[in-house]
Amino acid sequence: MLIVLVSAALVVADARFDRLYQVRSAIATGLAPVYWLGNAPYQFSDWVAGLFVNKEDLQQENEDLKARLLILERRALKYAALASENNELRRLMNSSEVLDDRVIVGEVVGVSPDPFSHEIIINKGQRDGLFNGQAVLDAHGLMGQVVQTSQITSRILLVSDSSHAVPVEVVRNGLRAILLGTGDTNTLDLVHVPDTADIREGDLLVSSGLGERFPRGYPVAEVSRISKEPGEPFVSIQAAPKAELNQSRLVLVVFPPKAQRHRKAVWERRLLQ
């Protein structure tokens, strides 16, 4: 009976007043070697088993680990690619929000092997409503125009091609000029600019809309260098394309307003007659 009363008192003291915390801690510390000795046979058996692992098992385990590592690395690369594509799509959508024209997103699936021809191929074609002359942009600026279409693909002539020209104007003051490709993806030439023209390095050039080939207001290039030769009526001006011509994988193909497209079709039919 005495033992029961003492036990009850200890339980109440521990539950209400936490008086036995130090006692339990001391007991647990004292029993730690007992726990270790109890687990020692299992640790010893695992150690002995490890001594008799043959070379083939180790090699197989090594190959399995390498395979798992390759799978994880591939997944990491895939996730990185998906994240990059998601960011690019977001930039494209942000660009399309400021356009009045309808657009469609295309993906670059090929590049012209001819070093003297700056052309790319995208995975959109006639079945998607594409036609020659449409403007093509990336998230940063004008890339070029559609020059050939098939049912499922289209060929895009980049603004850097030596045969390409874009009517542009300076955003700061509205000065108009023609921007020509040079065959260098990093450099464009602004031609027929008088030496008295108000133009500066850093000026933004946008499409002027003249000729109705490119809708007005699309960023094309930024003036990077201006040189004036004594006695020459025109200045030599170089500009850097705003579009990432060698890097962009997703592009926007612009559909102009129906009225403009109708006038363009009529004009092309007259040329063929």
Side-chain angles (χ1 to χ4, degrees), residues 177-225:
I178 301 297
L179 194 64
L180 300 180
T182 63
D184 183 352
T185 55
N186 298 316
T187 304
L188 304 174
D189 282 342
L190 194 65
V191 298
H192 303 152
V193 179
D195 60 350
T196 57
D198 178 16
I199 189 167
R200 310 169 188 170
E201 293 184 2
D203 276 343
L204 177 63
L205 307 176
V206 300
S207 53
S208 64
L210 297 180
E212 297 187 349
R213 172 67 69 174
F214 302 101
R216 184 179 181 182
Y218 292 165
V220 183
E222 182 178 301
V223 176
S224 57
R225 190 175 72 87

Side-chain angles (χ1 to χ4, degrees), residues 46-84:
D46 291 341
W47 178 74
V48 173
L51 294 177
F52 295 97
V53 176
N54 57 40
K55 183 179 180 180
E56 288 75 12
D57 292 339
L58 290 175
Q59 289 178 340
Q60 183 61 42
E61 183 179 1
N62 190 31
E63 293 297 327
D64 293 341
L65 290 174
K66 286 182 178 179
R68 291 183 60 186
L69 179 61
L70 287 175
I71 293 174
L72 292 175
E73 288 178 345
R74 182 189 64 83
R75 289 179 179 175
L77 291 174
K78 183 177 180 181
Y79 293 150
L82 289 174
S84 176

